[in-house]
Structures are given as C-alpha cells and as structure tokens.
Amino acid sequence: MDLRPRKIRERVVRQGQTTLLLGNFRLKVNLPLNPWTTVHYAIPWDKEKNRPLPSASQICFWPPYDNEISSLRAGLYPRHLDFCQRFGWTVFTLGIDTPYSQGYTPEGYSSYVTPAGGWFPVFQAIPKILRQRHGLAEGKLVLASSSSGGTLAQNLCLAYPQEILAAAWCGSGALLPLSRELPPVLATSVWGDLAGVAAIQEYQALARDGELPGKIWTALGPPQSVELQQRHAPSEELLALMQDFLWEATRQKERLAQGEGLSPSQEFLQKWRWFPQEELLDKPWNSPEPQVIPWPACPQDAQDMVFYFPGQPPQWDTEYEDTLYWLGKCGMRSFLCLGRPKDGNGWKTAMAKVLEAQERPPRRILFLGRDSGADLAWELREALPQKWEIHLCGLEPDLSPEILSHASSMHSDFYYRQPLLNAPGLPFFHFPDIPWDGTRGTWFRFLEERCEKLYDSK
C-alpha cells in the first residue's frame, strides 16, 4: 500500500444553513479488485476564518455496504451530510469494489468487512490524513452504517475498541463474538428483515443477561419505503435515532473512556422507547393479555390516534407494518393491538388505560381493523365512553346484521375487496373500484389519501 492521498479535490459549498468543505482523494491500496480507492469527506467549515469549525474534530466514519461504490461515484449523499448539518461533525466514507458488484459469489461476499480482507489499515489511515491536513484535534471515531457496512462496523469495534467511541448500524445480519471492551453500540433492524431481526434478538439476549451493561442497545423500525426492494434500507426515523445515539455518546466521552456503558438522557430514552423492542420480536399474537404497542415513525404529539387490529395472526412480513407506516406518514399516533383475551373486558380496560395515559388527549380516534380485528374494533368503539370522535375503517370484516343495521348513523368508512350486499345507506368504498396494479402499495396509497382527507392531517 501507498497511503499518501493523491488527486485531492476540495471545494467550499453552502448546504442549507451549513457551510461545508467537500473533498475527495485517492489512495493506492493494491487490494483485490481495488488497486485504488476514492475517499469522500465533508468538513463543517468557517468560511470567514477559512478553517474547520471546532466541532469538526469529531469524525464519523460511514462504512460502505456491498456495491455502494456505484452510488458513491457521485459523492456523499444526504444521510452522510446529516451528521455535518445536525452536529457539525466531519464525516467520511470510501468506495470499495467487491465481488458483489461484479456478480454475486458466496466466497467473495463482504470480503472486506473482516481484518483478513486487508482494508483495516486503510480505515485507520484516513482519519489521520484528515486531521493532519486540516488541523483537526485528536479523538475517537463514531461509526454509523447499514447492511454489510454494519458488519464492518462491528468488526472495527472489536479490532480497535480504544479508537471507537460508539457505533450505530441497521440491518446487519451478523453477530460477532463480543467482548467487555466493546464500545456502546445501537443495533437496529427494519421489520421484516429476517436476518437483521434474528441478530437483534441475539443482541437483546446479551443485554438482558447483563453481560455488557449499557453497551448494547437495540431498536426495530420502519423501512425506507414499503416497496419490496427498499425493505432492507433504514428509514429516516431509524437514521435519526442512530444519530441521536451517537450524539449521546459524544456527550459522555469521559464516562465511556472509563469503559462504562452509555447512560443516555431522558430525552433520548423517550425517543428510543417509541421504537418497539421485544414486544414484536416475541410476537405475542395469542397472548391472553392485550398488547397495545406504540409504533415508530408516528409523531408523538399528533392530534389524532389510530389503533390497528390485524385480525388473525399474520406472518411477519405482511401488511400490518406497512399500514402503520403509512398512517404514521399521515401524521397520526399509531398503536398495534395484539393478543386474544377470552372476553372483551380485557380489551376495554387496556384501551381505556392507554387513552387516559396520553399526555396530550387525542382529537379523534381511528380504529382500523382487518378480518376479525374489524369485529373487535366495532365492539370497542361501542363500549368506550363517547368523549372522543371515533371513526372506524374495516377491511374485509365479517360483521353481523345487527352491526350493519346501525352502521349508517356512525362515523365509519369501510374498505372491501368484495361488494357489500344488503346494507342500504352504509358508507363504504368498494375495493375493486380502486386502481389496482397488483401491489400492496396501491392499498396503502389509497388509505393514506383517505386518512388525509378524513383528518386534515397534513
């Protein structure tokens, strides 16, 4: 290797409210498929003094995932620059050509994520180059990444625990043998990502066993999009949680330097608790006790609330996650309702407690049910005190004639895949009338539009 920077290009630009020095240089690495690599970086800049801001000495490394080299040819993108704009940190990443980008081969996949791949001296050299070139103070790195980049972040934490302050990643299916020298880590996954969820379960077991107190944090969150090809990518909400976690770590440098775990602020804990932890991983579908689980990606201060009853226990990767994702984007606080108590009194008590516990009373409530969940939603809507304006959306419910006879006088909308017969005057939307392109996204887009119209939530 010859780790002297070559072909350095830098320019000062304005990004929103932040002035940044954007740059890149090349390193001669002489590694398989990679005789050279290009490093991309951004440094928060004081244009008047022509030097980095003091906060820029905190460097964030975003380890690349397989085949990300194709995207990085255009330079850094928003999720990288967020660290600069939110916290004033320096951020860098680099392009690595892997067998994945040449055509997948099991023996070559993610070959760069372990020390044996030969890249670790490169990762160590880049912060030194940036510090020497721009006079940045010495300090530990923070790591943020996703997918195989998260596996690389794990390996870096184990290889150089004294050089890493904290790390956060999403969607890494690998779980490495961890040690007590591990810096604090936030391991997250997108729901439905089976490999990532399996790793989260193992991390949670380690955290519960107390082997690494304050070192392991986990969260499960929404994908970047409900479209199938983006169900592995983290959403803006998960990325923001990762950033907040790393920010907490930088505020506790002295504590972490003593090898202790993270002791986050109440503000962070409030955000973190909004993301499901064990509740969904344990899947209490048939629990005798009702489970009312707050859902991420939903604003906690929203004026409207939605309770979703998915009906019979669905498989993991089904529409209940996506439905709640869309409802969150509509600006409503969402709750997933699980469990199958033998009688309805358990649900009535659970729902009343949740509603009374809200710091900000809801303006309106939406009960969204599917199949048998729609029947339960009807029962609860009738049983709860009439102090809220309650609407009901049902998809394929099996409602009794008695319920249908009273439906026309209530604030209710129905969505069916089959025509509803013998229900004169009942307001409903016949599902086949919706332009259907064969994807679930059609239903979610329609639901979003309907909720937006109903609640004026945007």
Side-chain angles (χ1 to χ4, degrees), residues 15 29 31 43 69 106 132 154 166 208 236 266 362 381 445 451:
Q15 293 275 352
V29 294
L31 289 167
I43 303 176
I69 187 172
Q132 291 173 1
Q154 290 184 61
R208 284 195 297 267
E236 294 178 4
Q266 288 300 315
R381 188 251 178 261
R445 286 191 293 272
C451 289

Side-chain angles (χ1 to χ4, degrees), residues 15 85 90 105 181 212 219 221 228 237 292 341 350 375 385 415-416:
Q15 293 275 352
Q85 295 169 331
T90 294
T105 57
E181 294 184 351
L212 298 167
L228 183 61
E237 293 78 18
V292 184
D375 300 336
Y415 305 90
Y416 291 95

Side-chain angles (χ1 to χ4, degrees), residues 102 241 384 454:
Q102 305 294 320
L241 185 71
L384 288 174
L454 181 64

